[in-house]
Amino acid sequence: METLVSLQNRLQELEATARKLEQPDEAFRTDRVEPAAEEAFAYARHFLSTLPEKKAFVEDVTTPRLLQQYPVQDEPREASEVFTVLHRVFDDVSLNAASGGHLAYIPGGGLYYAALGDYLAAVTNKYSTVFYISPAAVKMENLLIRWMCELVGYPADKSGGYLTSGGSLANLSAIVAARDAKEVKAERIPRSVVYFTHQVHHCVLKDLRVAGLAECVIREVPMNEAYEMRAEALAAMVEADLKEGLYPWLVVASAGSTDVSAIDPLNEIADIAEKYKLWFHVDAAYGGFFLLTEMGKQKMKGIHRADSVVMDPHKGLFMPYGTGAVIVKDVQTLWRSNHFDANYMQDAIPYHDEISPADISPELSRHFRGLRVWLPLQLHGLKPFRAALEEKMLLTQYFYHEVKKLGFETGPFPELSVMIYRYVPVRLKGNIAAINEYNAKILKSVNADGKVFISSTSLNGEYWLRLAVLSFRTHRTHIDYLLQLLKKIVEEEQLS
Protein backbone atom coordinates (compact mmCIF):
# COMPACT_ATOMS: atom_id res chain seq x y z
CA MET A 1 0.00 0.00 0.00
CA GLU A 2 2.80 2.35 0.89
CA THR A 3 4.45 1.65 -2.47
CA LEU A 4 1.18 2.40 -4.30
CA VAL A 5 0.76 5.68 -2.43
CA SER A 6 4.35 6.59 -3.23
CA LEU A 7 3.72 5.79 -6.90
CA GLN A 8 0.56 7.91 -6.96
CA ASN A 9 2.36 10.82 -5.32
CA ARG A 10 5.19 10.60 -7.84
CA LEU A 11 2.73 10.51 -10.74
CA GLN A 12 0.98 13.58 -9.37
CA GLU A 13 4.31 15.39 -9.11
CA LEU A 14 5.36 14.42 -12.63
CA GLU A 15 1.99 15.37 -14.09
CA ALA A 16 2.20 18.83 -12.61
CA THR A 17 5.55 19.39 -14.30
CA ALA A 18 4.66 17.65 -17.58
CA ARG A 19 1.47 19.71 -17.98
CA LYS A 20 3.65 22.74 -18.62
CA LEU A 21 4.00 21.37 -22.18
CA GLU A 22 0.25 21.69 -22.70
CA GLN A 23 -0.98 25.00 -24.06
CA PRO A 24 -2.73 26.83 -21.19
CA ASP A 25 -6.20 28.21 -21.80
CA GLU A 26 -5.03 31.71 -20.99
CA ALA A 27 -2.78 31.63 -24.08
CA PHE A 28 -5.80 32.42 -26.22
CA ARG A 29 -7.46 34.99 -24.03
CA THR A 30 -8.68 38.05 -25.90
CA ASP A 31 -7.41 40.53 -23.33
CA ARG A 32 -3.79 39.31 -23.25
CA VAL A 33 -1.48 37.47 -25.64
CA GLU A 34 0.71 34.70 -24.29
CA PRO A 35 4.32 36.04 -24.13
CA ALA A 36 5.93 33.57 -26.56
CA ALA A 37 3.13 34.00 -29.11
CA GLU A 38 3.35 37.78 -28.77
CA GLU A 39 7.11 37.67 -29.33
CA ALA A 40 6.76 35.31 -32.31
CA PHE A 41 4.16 37.42 -34.09
CA ALA A 42 6.11 40.58 -33.33
CA TYR A 43 9.18 38.94 -34.84
CA ALA A 44 7.28 37.96 -37.99
CA ARG A 45 5.68 41.41 -38.27
CA HIS A 46 9.03 43.17 -37.93
CA PHE A 47 10.78 40.79 -40.34
CA LEU A 48 8.19 41.19 -43.09
CA SER A 49 7.67 44.93 -42.65
CA THR A 50 11.41 45.69 -42.85
CA LEU A 51 12.16 43.16 -45.59
CA PRO A 52 12.24 45.71 -48.47
CA GLU A 53 14.98 47.68 -46.70
CA LYS A 54 17.05 44.70 -45.63
CA LYS A 55 20.06 43.47 -47.55
CA ALA A 56 19.77 40.20 -49.44
CA PHE A 57 23.18 39.07 -48.25
CA VAL A 58 25.52 39.92 -45.37
CA GLU A 59 28.63 37.80 -45.05
CA ASP A 60 28.78 36.95 -41.35
CA VAL A 61 29.76 33.62 -39.82
CA THR A 62 30.59 35.05 -36.38
CA THR A 63 27.21 36.22 -35.05
CA PRO A 64 25.59 32.73 -35.13
CA ARG A 65 28.15 31.63 -32.53
CA LEU A 66 26.00 33.46 -29.98
CA LEU A 67 23.81 30.35 -30.00
CA GLN A 68 26.54 28.58 -28.06
CA GLN A 69 25.55 30.74 -25.08
CA TYR A 70 22.08 29.15 -25.09
CA PRO A 71 22.54 25.41 -24.48
CA VAL A 72 19.57 23.17 -23.74
CA GLN A 73 18.90 23.28 -19.99
CA ASP A 74 16.38 22.11 -17.41
CA GLU A 75 14.88 25.49 -16.61
CA PRO A 76 12.99 27.70 -19.10
CA ARG A 77 14.22 31.05 -20.38
CA GLU A 78 12.12 34.19 -20.72
CA ALA A 79 10.43 34.56 -24.11
CA SER A 80 11.84 38.06 -24.59
CA GLU A 81 15.39 36.74 -24.11
CA VAL A 82 14.89 33.82 -26.49
CA PHE A 83 13.44 35.91 -29.30
CA THR A 84 16.07 38.59 -28.86
CA VAL A 85 18.77 36.07 -29.64
CA LEU A 86 16.79 34.86 -32.66
CA HIS A 87 16.76 38.43 -33.98
CA ARG A 88 20.50 38.70 -33.50
CA VAL A 89 21.52 35.42 -35.14
CA PHE A 90 18.99 35.29 -38.01
CA ASP A 91 18.29 38.89 -39.04
CA ASP A 92 20.87 40.62 -41.25
CA VAL A 93 23.15 37.58 -41.21
CA SER A 94 24.22 35.69 -44.36
CA LEU A 95 21.62 35.04 -47.11
CA ASN A 96 18.17 36.48 -46.59
CA ALA A 97 16.27 33.80 -48.51
CA ALA A 98 12.96 35.70 -48.33
CA SER A 99 14.39 38.83 -49.96
CA GLY A 100 13.37 39.97 -53.41
CA GLY A 101 17.05 40.66 -53.94
CA HIS A 102 17.83 36.94 -53.76
CA LEU A 103 18.86 36.36 -57.37
CA ALA A 104 21.11 33.36 -56.74
CA TYR A 105 20.56 29.60 -56.78
CA ILE A 106 16.81 28.88 -57.11
CA PRO A 107 15.08 31.28 -54.70
CA GLY A 108 11.59 30.77 -53.39
CA GLY A 109 9.59 30.60 -50.19
CA GLY A 110 8.39 33.04 -47.59
CA LEU A 111 4.64 32.93 -48.24
CA TYR A 112 2.82 34.10 -45.13
CA TYR A 113 -0.22 31.85 -45.63
CA ALA A 114 2.11 28.86 -46.05
CA ALA A 115 3.58 29.72 -42.64
CA LEU A 116 0.08 29.72 -41.18
CA GLY A 117 -0.48 26.32 -42.76
CA ASP A 118 2.68 25.01 -41.10
CA TYR A 119 1.58 26.49 -37.78
CA LEU A 120 -1.75 24.68 -37.91
CA ALA A 121 -0.12 21.47 -39.15
CA ALA A 122 2.26 21.53 -36.19
CA VAL A 123 -0.49 22.36 -33.68
CA THR A 124 -2.80 19.59 -34.88
CA ASN A 125 0.11 17.24 -35.69
CA LYS A 126 -1.87 15.19 -38.17
CA TYR A 127 -0.24 11.91 -39.19
CA SER A 128 -0.49 12.54 -42.89
CA THR A 129 0.83 9.31 -44.39
CA VAL A 130 -2.00 6.85 -43.63
CA PHE A 131 -5.58 7.48 -44.78
CA TYR A 132 -7.16 5.46 -41.95
CA ILE A 133 -5.44 7.62 -39.32
CA SER A 134 -5.98 11.02 -40.94
CA PRO A 135 -8.28 10.82 -43.97
CA ALA A 136 -8.59 14.59 -44.42
CA ALA A 137 -4.81 15.16 -44.41
CA VAL A 138 -4.17 12.34 -46.89
CA LYS A 139 -7.10 13.39 -49.07
CA MET A 140 -5.80 16.97 -49.16
CA GLU A 141 -2.34 15.85 -50.27
CA ASN A 142 -3.76 13.42 -52.83
CA LEU A 143 -5.94 16.15 -54.32
CA LEU A 144 -2.90 18.41 -54.62
CA ILE A 145 -1.07 15.59 -56.39
CA ARG A 146 -4.09 15.04 -58.65
CA TRP A 147 -3.96 18.73 -59.59
CA MET A 148 -0.23 18.43 -60.42
CA CYS A 149 -0.91 15.34 -62.55
CA GLU A 150 -3.54 17.31 -64.48
CA LEU A 151 -1.07 20.17 -64.90
CA VAL A 152 1.46 17.81 -66.47
CA GLY A 153 -1.23 16.09 -68.55
CA TYR A 154 -1.25 12.66 -66.92
CA PRO A 155 -4.31 10.40 -67.15
CA ALA A 156 -6.57 10.68 -64.12
CA ASP A 157 -7.25 6.96 -63.75
CA LYS A 158 -3.71 5.67 -63.17
CA SER A 159 -1.35 8.51 -62.28
CA GLY A 160 -0.36 9.59 -58.79
CA GLY A 161 2.49 10.51 -56.48
CA TYR A 162 3.23 12.18 -53.19
CA LEU A 163 4.64 15.33 -51.60
CA THR A 164 8.32 14.90 -50.74
CA SER A 165 10.91 16.88 -48.82
CA GLY A 166 12.29 18.23 -52.11
CA GLY A 167 13.72 17.38 -55.50
CA SER A 168 16.40 15.05 -54.16
CA LEU A 169 13.98 12.63 -52.51
CA ALA A 170 11.53 13.02 -55.40
CA ASN A 171 14.18 12.09 -57.97
CA LEU A 172 15.29 9.19 -55.76
CA SER A 173 11.73 7.84 -55.59
CA ALA A 174 11.36 8.05 -59.36
CA ILE A 175 14.70 6.31 -59.93
CA VAL A 176 13.81 3.49 -57.52
CA ALA A 177 10.43 3.00 -59.23
CA ALA A 178 12.20 2.95 -62.61
CA ARG A 179 14.83 0.49 -61.33
CA ASP A 180 12.18 -1.96 -60.17
CA ALA A 181 9.88 -1.50 -63.17
CA LYS A 182 12.78 -2.17 -65.56
CA GLU A 183 14.02 -5.08 -63.42
CA VAL A 184 17.52 -3.75 -62.89
CA LYS A 185 18.65 -6.50 -60.54
CA ALA A 186 22.05 -6.57 -58.82
CA GLU A 187 23.72 -8.83 -61.37
CA ARG A 188 22.41 -6.66 -64.20
CA ILE A 189 23.61 -3.29 -62.85
CA PRO A 190 27.11 -3.23 -64.44
CA ARG A 191 25.52 -3.64 -67.90
CA SER A 192 22.62 -1.23 -67.32
CA VAL A 193 22.89 2.19 -68.94
CA VAL A 194 21.58 5.60 -67.79
CA TYR A 195 21.49 8.64 -70.10
CA PHE A 196 21.47 12.38 -69.30
CA THR A 197 23.39 15.53 -70.16
CA HIS A 198 26.06 17.40 -68.21
CA GLN A 199 23.29 19.81 -67.18
CA VAL A 200 21.51 17.17 -65.07
CA HIS A 201 21.13 18.20 -61.42
CA HIS A 202 23.82 16.64 -59.25
CA CYS A 203 21.18 15.09 -56.98
CA VAL A 204 20.41 12.60 -59.78
CA LEU A 205 23.95 11.25 -59.58
CA LYS A 206 23.70 11.14 -55.81
CA ASP A 207 20.33 9.38 -56.01
CA LEU A 208 21.70 6.72 -58.35
CA ARG A 209 24.35 5.96 -55.76
CA VAL A 210 21.84 5.89 -52.89
CA ALA A 211 19.60 3.58 -54.93
CA GLY A 212 22.45 1.08 -55.31
CA LEU A 213 23.02 1.98 -58.96
CA ALA A 214 26.46 3.57 -58.75
CA GLU A 215 27.91 0.81 -60.94
CA CYS A 216 25.54 1.52 -63.81
CA VAL A 217 27.07 2.69 -67.08
CA ILE A 218 26.60 6.47 -67.23
CA ARG A 219 26.34 8.17 -70.60
CA GLU A 220 26.53 11.96 -70.90
CA VAL A 221 24.57 12.84 -74.00
CA PRO A 222 26.01 15.73 -76.06
CA MET A 223 24.18 19.06 -76.00
CA ASN A 224 23.54 21.82 -78.50
CA GLU A 225 24.62 25.45 -78.00
CA ALA A 226 21.61 26.06 -75.75
CA TYR A 227 22.73 23.24 -73.42
CA GLU A 228 19.82 21.04 -74.50
CA MET A 229 20.13 17.31 -75.10
CA ARG A 230 20.68 16.34 -78.71
CA ALA A 231 18.04 13.71 -79.34
CA GLU A 232 19.80 12.23 -82.37
CA ALA A 233 22.93 11.73 -80.24
CA LEU A 234 20.85 9.94 -77.60
CA ALA A 235 19.40 7.58 -80.20
CA ALA A 236 22.84 6.81 -81.60
CA MET A 237 24.24 6.08 -78.13
CA VAL A 238 21.37 3.73 -77.29
CA GLU A 239 21.83 1.87 -80.57
CA ALA A 240 25.57 1.52 -79.94
CA ASP A 241 25.00 0.24 -76.40
CA LEU A 242 22.49 -2.34 -77.59
CA LYS A 243 25.01 -3.64 -80.12
CA GLU A 244 27.52 -3.97 -77.28
CA GLY A 245 25.09 -6.18 -75.37
CA LEU A 246 24.33 -3.53 -72.73
CA TYR A 247 20.92 -2.79 -71.21
CA PRO A 248 19.70 0.81 -71.75
CA TRP A 249 16.93 1.45 -69.21
CA LEU A 250 16.72 5.11 -68.04
CA VAL A 251 16.92 8.53 -69.65
CA VAL A 252 16.71 11.67 -67.50
CA ALA A 253 15.70 14.93 -69.17
CA SER A 254 15.73 18.42 -67.68
CA ALA A 255 12.77 20.78 -67.85
CA GLY A 256 14.56 23.83 -66.53
CA SER A 257 18.20 23.07 -65.75
CA THR A 258 19.77 24.74 -62.73
CA ASP A 259 22.61 26.42 -64.63
CA VAL A 260 20.79 27.98 -67.58
CA SER A 261 17.11 26.87 -67.35
CA ALA A 262 17.56 24.64 -70.40
CA ILE A 263 14.65 22.43 -71.46
CA ASP A 264 15.55 19.24 -73.27
CA PRO A 265 13.48 18.26 -76.37
CA LEU A 266 10.90 16.25 -74.45
CA ASN A 267 8.83 14.98 -77.36
CA GLU A 268 11.85 13.73 -79.27
CA ILE A 269 13.27 12.04 -76.18
CA ALA A 270 9.88 10.44 -75.53
CA ASP A 271 9.93 8.96 -79.05
CA ILE A 272 13.32 7.40 -78.37
CA ALA A 273 12.29 6.15 -74.92
CA GLU A 274 9.21 4.46 -76.39
CA LYS A 275 11.15 2.91 -79.24
CA TYR A 276 13.81 1.40 -76.99
CA LYS A 277 11.59 0.81 -73.93
CA LEU A 278 13.52 3.20 -71.66
CA TRP A 279 12.01 4.71 -68.53
CA PHE A 280 11.64 8.41 -69.36
CA HIS A 281 12.12 10.65 -66.31
CA VAL A 282 11.83 14.45 -66.36
CA ASP A 283 13.46 16.54 -63.65
CA ALA A 284 11.22 19.61 -63.58
CA ALA A 285 11.92 20.41 -59.94
CA TYR A 286 12.61 24.03 -60.87
CA GLY A 287 10.67 24.39 -64.08
CA GLY A 288 7.54 22.30 -63.57
CA PHE A 289 5.17 24.93 -62.24
CA PHE A 290 5.87 27.23 -65.18
CA LEU A 291 3.26 24.97 -66.80
CA LEU A 292 0.80 27.35 -65.15
CA THR A 293 1.77 29.91 -67.82
CA GLU A 294 1.10 29.77 -71.54
CA MET A 295 4.79 30.23 -72.29
CA GLY A 296 5.70 27.37 -69.97
CA LYS A 297 3.18 25.04 -71.59
CA GLN A 298 4.60 25.71 -75.04
CA LYS A 299 8.18 25.21 -73.91
CA MET A 300 7.48 21.89 -72.14
CA LYS A 301 5.42 20.14 -74.80
CA GLY A 302 5.77 16.39 -74.42
CA ILE A 303 6.22 16.35 -70.66
CA HIS A 304 3.00 14.31 -70.38
CA ARG A 305 4.77 11.43 -72.14
CA ALA A 306 7.29 10.97 -69.31
CA ASP A 307 6.97 7.99 -66.98
CA SER A 308 7.80 10.21 -64.01
CA VAL A 309 8.14 13.91 -63.29
CA VAL A 310 9.60 15.84 -60.36
CA MET A 311 8.28 19.32 -59.54
CA ASP A 312 8.98 21.33 -56.38
CA PRO A 313 6.30 23.58 -54.84
CA HIS A 314 9.09 25.16 -52.80
CA LYS A 315 10.46 26.51 -56.06
CA GLY A 316 7.77 27.40 -58.60
CA LEU A 317 4.97 27.85 -56.05
CA PHE A 318 7.15 29.78 -53.56
CA MET A 319 6.33 27.41 -50.70
CA PRO A 320 8.68 26.80 -47.72
CA TYR A 321 11.74 24.63 -48.20
CA GLY A 322 10.96 20.96 -47.69
CA THR A 323 8.10 20.83 -50.21
CA GLY A 324 8.73 18.74 -53.31
CA ALA A 325 6.65 16.33 -55.35
CA VAL A 326 7.10 13.25 -57.50
CA ILE A 327 4.34 12.16 -59.85
CA VAL A 328 4.22 9.08 -62.07
CA LYS A 329 2.05 8.05 -64.99
CA ASP A 330 1.27 4.74 -63.28
CA VAL A 331 1.09 5.04 -59.49
CA GLN A 332 1.39 1.27 -59.14
CA THR A 333 5.09 1.60 -59.97
CA LEU A 334 5.57 3.57 -56.76
CA TRP A 335 3.34 1.13 -54.85
CA ARG A 336 5.35 -1.92 -55.93
CA SER A 337 8.62 -0.33 -54.81
CA ASN A 338 7.43 0.96 -51.44
CA HIS A 339 4.37 -0.86 -50.10
CA PHE A 340 4.63 -3.02 -46.98
CA ASP A 341 2.03 -4.27 -44.51
CA ALA A 342 2.93 -4.33 -40.82
CA ASN A 343 0.99 -6.29 -38.18
CA TYR A 344 0.34 -3.23 -36.07
CA MET A 345 -1.14 -1.45 -39.13
CA GLN A 346 -3.73 -4.13 -39.88
CA ASP A 347 -6.58 -1.76 -39.00
CA ALA A 348 -5.67 0.37 -42.04
CA ILE A 349 -5.93 -2.45 -44.60
CA PRO A 350 -9.62 -1.88 -45.47
CA TYR A 351 -8.76 1.69 -46.55
CA HIS A 352 -6.30 0.82 -49.32
CA ASP A 353 -8.77 2.13 -51.91
CA GLU A 354 -7.38 5.59 -51.11
CA ILE A 355 -3.64 5.76 -51.75
CA SER A 356 -1.72 6.56 -48.57
CA PRO A 357 1.69 8.28 -48.93
CA ALA A 358 3.19 5.60 -46.68
CA ASP A 359 2.35 2.99 -49.36
CA ILE A 360 4.14 4.78 -52.20
CA SER A 361 7.07 6.45 -50.47
CA PRO A 362 9.96 5.53 -48.14
CA GLU A 363 8.60 7.91 -45.50
CA LEU A 364 6.35 6.86 -42.64
CA SER A 365 6.45 9.61 -40.04
CA ARG A 366 6.87 13.07 -41.48
CA HIS A 367 5.44 16.59 -41.42
CA PHE A 368 1.95 17.27 -42.82
CA ARG A 369 3.22 19.09 -45.91
CA GLY A 370 -0.11 19.44 -47.66
CA LEU A 371 -1.53 22.24 -45.52
CA ARG A 372 1.32 24.62 -46.30
CA VAL A 373 0.50 24.19 -50.01
CA TRP A 374 -3.28 23.95 -49.86
CA LEU A 375 -3.90 26.99 -47.65
CA PRO A 376 -2.14 29.65 -49.79
CA LEU A 377 -3.60 28.17 -52.99
CA GLN A 378 -7.07 28.47 -51.48
CA LEU A 379 -6.60 31.94 -49.97
CA HIS A 380 -4.77 33.48 -52.95
CA GLY A 381 -6.18 31.50 -55.86
CA LEU A 382 -3.95 30.59 -58.81
CA LYS A 383 -4.03 33.97 -60.55
CA PRO A 384 -1.22 35.68 -58.57
CA PHE A 385 0.98 32.58 -58.80
CA ARG A 386 0.56 32.48 -62.56
CA ALA A 387 1.26 36.22 -62.83
CA ALA A 388 4.36 35.95 -60.64
CA LEU A 389 5.81 33.12 -62.75
CA GLU A 390 5.26 34.97 -66.01
CA GLU A 391 6.73 38.11 -64.45
CA LYS A 392 9.89 36.20 -63.50
CA MET A 393 10.36 34.90 -67.04
CA LEU A 394 9.92 38.38 -68.49
CA LEU A 395 12.24 39.93 -65.91
CA THR A 396 14.94 37.48 -66.96
CA GLN A 397 14.39 38.32 -70.62
CA TYR A 398 14.53 42.02 -69.73
CA PHE A 399 17.85 41.51 -67.95
CA TYR A 400 19.16 39.45 -70.89
CA HIS A 401 18.64 42.39 -73.28
CA GLU A 402 19.74 45.14 -70.88
CA VAL A 403 22.94 43.48 -69.68
CA LYS A 404 24.04 43.07 -73.30
CA LYS A 405 23.76 46.84 -73.72
CA LEU A 406 26.35 47.14 -70.94
CA GLY A 407 28.78 45.05 -72.96
CA PHE A 408 28.30 41.74 -71.17
CA GLU A 409 28.36 38.42 -72.98
CA THR A 410 25.37 36.17 -72.34
CA GLY A 411 24.66 32.49 -72.60
CA PRO A 412 21.61 31.15 -74.47
CA PHE A 413 18.35 33.08 -74.39
CA PRO A 414 16.63 32.11 -71.11
CA GLU A 415 13.94 29.49 -71.53
CA LEU A 416 12.55 30.21 -68.05
CA SER A 417 14.03 32.48 -65.38
CA VAL A 418 17.70 31.50 -65.10
CA MET A 419 20.50 32.75 -67.36
CA ILE A 420 24.27 33.26 -67.43
CA TYR A 421 26.38 36.29 -68.34
CA ARG A 422 29.95 37.55 -68.00
CA TYR A 423 32.10 40.55 -68.83
CA VAL A 424 35.19 40.19 -71.00
CA PRO A 425 37.41 43.30 -70.83
CA VAL A 426 39.24 44.06 -74.09
CA ARG A 427 42.57 43.92 -72.30
CA LEU A 428 41.88 40.34 -71.16
CA LYS A 429 40.54 38.78 -74.36
CA GLY A 430 41.93 35.29 -74.88
CA ASN A 431 43.10 34.95 -71.28
CA ILE A 432 40.53 32.55 -69.80
CA ALA A 433 42.06 32.48 -66.33
CA ALA A 434 42.15 36.27 -66.10
CA ILE A 435 38.58 36.59 -67.43
CA ASN A 436 37.39 34.06 -64.86
CA GLU A 437 39.15 35.95 -62.08
CA TYR A 438 37.68 39.27 -63.24
CA ASN A 439 34.12 37.95 -63.20
CA ALA A 440 34.68 36.42 -59.77
CA LYS A 441 35.60 39.92 -58.61
CA ILE A 442 32.36 41.27 -60.12
CA LEU A 443 30.38 38.73 -58.09
CA LYS A 444 32.26 39.64 -54.94
CA SER A 445 31.64 43.34 -55.54
CA VAL A 446 27.89 42.88 -56.13
CA ASN A 447 27.45 40.67 -53.09
CA ALA A 448 29.52 43.00 -50.91
CA ASP A 449 26.96 45.70 -51.66
CA GLY A 450 24.39 43.21 -50.36
CA LYS A 451 21.20 44.73 -51.73
CA VAL A 452 21.02 41.89 -54.24
CA PHE A 453 22.72 38.50 -54.10
CA ILE A 454 23.96 36.67 -57.19
CA SER A 455 25.77 33.39 -57.81
CA SER A 456 28.08 31.89 -60.42
CA THR A 457 28.67 28.66 -62.31
CA SER A 458 31.40 27.13 -64.44
CA LEU A 459 30.78 25.78 -67.94
CA ASN A 460 33.57 24.23 -70.00
CA GLY A 461 36.17 25.84 -67.75
CA GLU A 462 34.63 29.30 -68.06
CA TYR A 463 33.36 31.27 -65.07
CA TRP A 464 29.90 32.71 -65.63
CA LEU A 465 27.77 34.96 -63.48
CA ARG A 466 24.30 33.54 -62.99
CA LEU A 467 20.92 35.21 -62.60
CA ALA A 468 18.07 33.21 -61.03
CA VAL A 469 14.77 35.06 -60.74
CA LEU A 470 12.14 33.10 -58.82
CA SER A 471 11.34 34.91 -55.58
CA PHE A 472 7.76 36.18 -55.70
CA ARG A 473 9.11 39.39 -54.13
CA THR A 474 11.54 40.06 -57.01
CA HIS A 475 10.39 42.83 -59.31
CA ARG A 476 11.90 45.18 -61.89
CA THR A 477 13.36 47.44 -59.18
CA HIS A 478 15.66 44.60 -58.08
CA ILE A 479 16.77 43.84 -61.64
CA ASP A 480 17.40 47.51 -62.35
CA TYR A 481 19.44 47.81 -59.17
CA LEU A 482 21.66 44.92 -60.27
CA LEU A 483 22.03 46.48 -63.72
CA GLN A 484 23.10 49.78 -62.10
CA LEU A 485 25.74 47.97 -60.05
CA LEU A 486 27.04 46.18 -63.13
CA LYS A 487 27.08 49.41 -65.13
CA LYS A 488 29.17 51.10 -62.46
CA ILE A 489 31.64 48.19 -62.45
CA VAL A 490 31.92 48.29 -66.26
CA GLU A 491 32.46 52.03 -66.32
CA GLU A 492 35.24 51.73 -63.72
CA GLU A 493 36.86 49.02 -65.87
CA GLN A 494 36.73 51.22 -68.96
CA LEU A 495 38.35 54.08 -67.09
CA SER A 496 41.16 51.93 -65.73
Side-chain angles (χ1 to χ4, degrees), residues 58 168 345:
V58 177
S168 296
M345 291 299 294

Side-chain angles (χ1 to χ4, degrees), residues 309-443:
V309 176
V310 164
M311 50 202 307
D312 282 356
H314 69 208
K315 295 184 175 75
L317 286 183
F318 323 119
M319 301 299 170
Y321 292 129
T323 322
V326 58
I327 58 174
V328 292
K329 187 175 291 182
D330 182 358
V331 73
Q332 290 302 312
T333 58
L334 287 175
W335 177 283
R336 285 191 288 270
S337 293
N338 294 278
H339 172 67
F340 280 92
D341 279 323
N343 293 338
Y344 66 91
M345 291 299 294
Q346 63 186 13
D347 298 335
I349 292 175
Y351 297 90
H352 279 170
D353 286 346
E354 182 77 34
I355 294 288
S356 293
D359 287 327
I360 57 174
S361 81
E363 295 184 289
L364 297 177
S365 298
R366 49 88 154 166
H367 181 69
F368 175 24
R369 300 181 181 119
L371 196 51
R372 65 164 63 154
V373 181
W374 185 84
L375 196 63
L377 288 176
Q378 295 294 323
L379 294 176
H380 284 299
L382 277 179
K383 191 173 182 179
F385 290 93
R386 187 178 288 111
L389 288 167
E390 183 176 350
E391 178 194 21
K392 306 320 160 198
M393 284 192 285
L394 295 180
L395 283 173
T396 310
Q397 293 175 22
Y398 168 73
F399 180 85
Y400 176 87
H401 294 298
E402 292 300 313
V403 81
K404 279 189 167 194
K405 294 177 183 178
L406 299 179
F408 281 76
E409 292 183 2
T410 61
F413 185 79
E415 288 289 341
L416 299 173
S417 67
V418 175
M419 61 162 285
I420 53 174
Y421 60 104
R422 66 174 186 166
Y423 192 76
V424 180
V426 175
R427 60 186 174 86
L428 299 180
K429 280 190 179 295
N431 189 337
I432 295 176
I435 294 169
N436 289 350
E437 184 179 353
Y438 182 80
N439 282 275
K441 288 180 179 178
I442 293 178
L443 179 138

